[in-house]
């Protein structure tokens, strides 16, 4: 890292002091990060996010006063430049999907390694989703089982705005393929896949891969039984 690069400003929100301290001790020694604040509940996280304007909030999704899902929704709505990385005790957790639906850009289990935490913070800071594609698909196919909610970003009628090729890319993305696998399946380059995905995100008004996958299930483009459950 050169001196001309700005550090990634991180706010850590968790109601367990030892978890907060542990996460801070992982990130603080790395010159790429600056831990600007710590919060012990969701409301405090929202308040501190407004005060410190972090680039990334590492957010426990089960907290008192204001839970992490509602805190995520407020931060993403009120501070659109801020990214949220959700934390959960369990990989398969319906609250994780709720957090992703609310605008979190990824999630990690609490037993994550230091290397995985650092990589995930960097990933969400760039605007990408920090969730393994097949794990994301497995999560969403398990818990997104109800009809589309009114506040969800993608009405079924809007699918007509996508080209047939874009719908094909979106479907493959939603079934758990990464960009290289989509490129191989369709016989196109990875850079072309990326261009399609950028256009898909814009047309669907979604922020990242996680929200695009949720939208695919909620719109009916993909059904749970059609997703690949393998890790």
């Amino acid at each position: 890292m050169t001196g001309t690069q700005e550090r990634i400003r991180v706010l850590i929100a968790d109601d367990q002091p030892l978890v907060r301290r542990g996460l801070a001790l992982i990130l603080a020694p790395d010159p790429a990060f600056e831990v600007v604040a710590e919060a012990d509940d969701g409301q405090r996280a929202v308040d501190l996010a407004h005060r410190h304007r972090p680039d990334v909030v590492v957010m426990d999704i089960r907290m008192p006063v204001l839970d992490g899902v509602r805190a995520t929704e407020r931060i993403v709505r009120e501070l659109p430049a801020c990214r949220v990385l959700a934390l959960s005790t369990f990989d398969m957790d319906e609250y994780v999907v709720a957090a992703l639906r609310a605008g979190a850009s990824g999630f990690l289990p609490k037993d994550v390694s230091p290397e995985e935490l650092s990589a995930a913070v960097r990933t969400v800071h760039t605007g990408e989703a920090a969730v393994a594609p097949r794990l994301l698909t497995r999560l969403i196919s398990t818990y997104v089982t109800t009809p589309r909610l009114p506040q969800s970003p993608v009405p079924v009628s809007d699918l007509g705005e996508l080209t047939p090729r874009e719908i094909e890319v979106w479907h493959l993305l939603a079934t758990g393929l990464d960009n290289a696998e989509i490129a191989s399946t369709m016989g196109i380059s990875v850079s072309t896949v990326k261009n399609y995905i950028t256009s898909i995100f814009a047309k669907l008004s979604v922020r990242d891969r996680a929200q695009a996958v949720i939208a695919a299930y909620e719109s009916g483009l993909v059904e749970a039984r059609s997703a690949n459950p393998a890790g």
Side-chain angles (χ1 to χ4, degrees):
M1 177 173 174
T2 68
T4 59
Q5 292 178 299
E6 292 186 2
R7 302 169 79 184
I8 300 172
R9 294 165 54 80
V10 181
L11 187 157
I12 297 170
D14 195 292
D15 62 331
Q16 300 179 43
L18 286 177
V19 173
R20 290 199 309 275
R21 281 286 77 208
L23 295 171
L25 287 172
I26 289 171
L27 295 175
D30 190 324
F33 305 113
E34 178 185 2
V35 178
V36 296
E38 297 178 24
D40 58 3
D41 64 60
Q43 183 59 57
R44 182 78 171 149
V46 173
D47 295 342
L48 289 174
H50 277 276
R51 183 183 306 173
H52 294 280
R53 301 299 172 111
D55 300 304
V56 177
V57 178
V58 179
M59 177 84 73
D60 181 16
I61 57 178
R62 296 176 185 249
M63 285 191 296
V65 184
L66 186 70
D67 66 46
V69 173
R70 289 186 294 164
T72 294
E73 184 177 24
R74 283 192 55 189
I75 288 172
V76 169
R77 183 178 69 249
E78 297 168 12
L79 300 169
C82 181
R83 302 287 173 173
V84 176
L85 179 62
L87 286 178
S88 173
T89 304
F90 305 104
D91 285 353
M92 298 301 289
D93 185 344
E94 62 185 313
Y95 286 91
V96 171
V97 174
L100 294 171
R101 197 197 301 261
S105 296
F107 86 94
L108 292 173
K110 285 194 175 182
D111 60 357
V112 65
S113 72
E115 294 77 15
E116 288 170 326
L117 174 64
S118 297
V121 172
R122 286 184 170 92
T123 297
V124 299
H125 181 243
T126 66
E128 297 294 325
V131 189
R134 284 189 174 81
L135 179 56
L136 174 63
T137 300
R138 203 161 73 237
L139 259 173
I140 292 169
S141 67
T142 300
Y143 293 112
V144 179
T145 58
T146 56
R148 178 185 165 272
L149 299 177
Q151 66 268 30
S152 298
V154 188
V156 176
S157 60
D158 286 355
L159 300 188
E161 296 182 7
L162 298 176
T163 68
R165 204 68 163 156
E166 288 170 343
I167 291 175
E168 185 179 358
V169 171
W170 186 26
H171 183 274
L172 293 172
L173 179 157
T175 55
L177 300 191
D178 62 25
N179 290 358
E181 291 168 332
I182 294 171
S184 176
T185 299
M186 297 181 65
I188 58 179
S189 70
V190 172
S191 62
T192 299
V193 171
K194 290 179 180 177
N195 290 338
Y196 276 130
I197 290 174
T198 298
S199 177
I200 291 164
F201 288 0
K203 290 181 178 180
L204 298 180
S205 299
V206 299
R207 291 180 56 164
D208 54 35
R209 202 179 197 96
Q211 290 196 332
V213 174
I214 291 173
Y217 280 88
E218 293 185 330
S219 70
L221 178 72
V222 179
E223 296 181 2
R225 62 177 177 273
S226 69
N228 177 8

